[in-house]
């Protein structure tokens, strides 16, 4: 998937689905750059915001756990990378980190023999 073409809200929803699977996630109606998480609480619907592309504290634990590196790649651009060779650049450093994380998760779900050949 080409994550560079997705909005901040869409990326936030994808991150929420991976990082907070107990909640339902949708693009926040109050801030299109984030996700709204909802869950059933005592028979009512409770909600909270999730803004990983705007609040470093929501994405930093993922960055640390998965060893995603972040370095300047110019005056206004940041590059996030992983030792497996996955990289992403963006003006928003958190978006670059999020894209690298999503690409890592995508590659982890690809079967080892994804070409369909029957060579063992």
């Amino acid at each position: 998937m080409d994550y560079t073409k997705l909005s901040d809200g869409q990326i936030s929803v994808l991150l929420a689905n991976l990082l907070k699977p107990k909640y339902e996630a949708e693009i926040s109606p109050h801030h299109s750059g984030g996700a709204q998480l909802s869950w059933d609480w005592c028979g009512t619907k409770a909600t909270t915001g999730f803004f990983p592309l705007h609040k470093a504290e929501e994405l930093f634990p993922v960055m640390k756990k998965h060893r995603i590196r972040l370095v300047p790649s110019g005056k206004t651009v940041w590059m996030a990378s992983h030792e497996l060779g996955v990289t992403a650049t963006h003006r928003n450093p958190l978006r670059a980190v999020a894209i690298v994380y999503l690409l890592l998760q995508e590659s982890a779900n690809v079967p080892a023999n994804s070409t369909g050949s029957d060579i063992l």
Side-chain angles (χ1 to χ4, degrees):
M1 177 180 285
D2 187 1
Y3 298 108
T4 61
K5 295 185 180 189
L6 298 179
S7 70
D8 284 357
Q10 291 169 318
I11 288 179
S12 295
V13 168
L14 291 173
L15 289 171
N17 289 333
L18 291 169
L19 301 173
K20 301 185 178 287
K22 295 181 180 181
Y23 303 100
E24 292 179 32
E26 62 185 10
I27 295 175
S28 174
H30 307 292
H31 187 292
S32 63
Q36 177 174 291
L37 306 178
S38 59
W39 65 96
D40 182 42
W41 187 69
C42 298
T44 61
K45 183 178 177 180
T47 62
T48 189
F50 180 62
F51 303 96
L53 303 185
H54 299 283
K55 294 183 178 180
E57 64 269 17
E58 293 184 347
L59 199 55
F60 183 75
V62 171
M63 185 178 162
K64 183 178 174 186
K65 179 180 179 182
H66 295 278
R67 298 172 44 151
I68 298 172
R69 183 175 83 147
L70 184 64
V71 296
S73 182
K75 288 186 178 184
T76 61
V77 178
W78 292 85
M79 181 177 72
S81 62
H82 187 267
E83 58 196 18
L84 294 177
V86 178
T87 64
T89 57
H90 199 270
R91 289 177 55 195
N92 177 349
L94 296 174
R95 184 177 171 103
V97 169
I99 290 172
V100 168
Y101 174 71
L102 291 170
L103 288 169
L104 287 172
Q105 296 308 305
E106 188 177 280
S107 67
N109 292 328
V110 174
N113 188 5
S114 63
T115 61
S117 82
D118 50 14
I119 298 173
L120 298 175

